[in-house]
Amino acid sequence: MKNSNINQERLLKVILAPHISEKATFIGEKNNQTVFRVVTDATKKEIKDAIELLWKEQKIEVKNVQTINVKGKSKRFGRFMGHRNDWKKAIVSIKEGQELSFANFSNAEVK
């Protein structure tokens, strides 16, 4: 997060939640990656800076970010057809020997 020109308020809103699934658990164990739900207009640079800001006390360094736009499914609600929202998934690779801990991450202060 060196020389970040991105607004810190924006960075705190980029990461929505960790995405827990069978595939996310598998790549987490195999490749030291974590999957997050992010805002649909987030860039890879914003996602990287947001992760490093939220876990700055643990000195997490992001190696790589991959993003995927997930299309919402069409679903039937009784006799009506509905549509789930589209969302964005980010697969974040962190450097070797580091681990994201969701139990205690820093309270990032906005200045």
Side-chain angles (χ1 to χ4, degrees):
M1 212 174 92
K2 296 145 184 93
N3 297 330
S4 177
N5 294 333
I6 301 171
N7 187 0
Q8 283 191 351
E9 261 183 68
R10 165 74 176 158
L11 293 180
L12 294 175
K13 295 178 184 176
V14 167
I15 305 295
L16 298 177
H19 181 70
I20 308 299
S21 67
E22 203 171 325
K23 183 177 179 180
T25 306
F26 177 72
I27 66 170
E29 293 172 353
K30 184 178 179 187
N31 301 327
N32 199 22
Q33 295 176 328
T34 308
V35 181
F36 292 97
R37 277 183 176 242
V38 296
V39 180
T40 55
D41 62 342
T43 63
K44 291 181 180 184
K45 174 78 171 133
E46 286 178 334
I47 295 168
K48 177 183 177 188
D49 289 345
I51 296 293
E52 291 177 352
L53 175 67
L54 288 172
W55 280 275
K56 69 180 174 184
E57 287 182 1
Q58 296 178 16
K59 297 183 176 87
I60 296 296
E61 294 180 36
V62 176
K63 183 168 58 172
N64 189 16
V65 177
Q66 299 171 336
T67 58
I68 303 157
N69 288 316
V70 181
K71 300 295 181 191
K73 294 181 178 180
S74 295
K75 290 291 195 176
R76 178 176 294 281
F77 298 100
R79 62 181 181 162
F80 303 105
M81 286 300 290
H83 186 74
R84 290 188 181 166
N85 293 336
D86 299 340
W87 56 284
K88 193 170 198 174
K89 183 191 316 188
I91 301 173
V92 178
S93 300
I94 54 176
K95 299 228 172 153
E96 296 297 322
Q98 296 181 342
E99 183 176 335
L100 288 178
S101 172
F102 292 102
N104 55 352
F105 61 89
S106 69
N107 295 332
E109 295 181 19
V110 179
K111 293 182 180 179

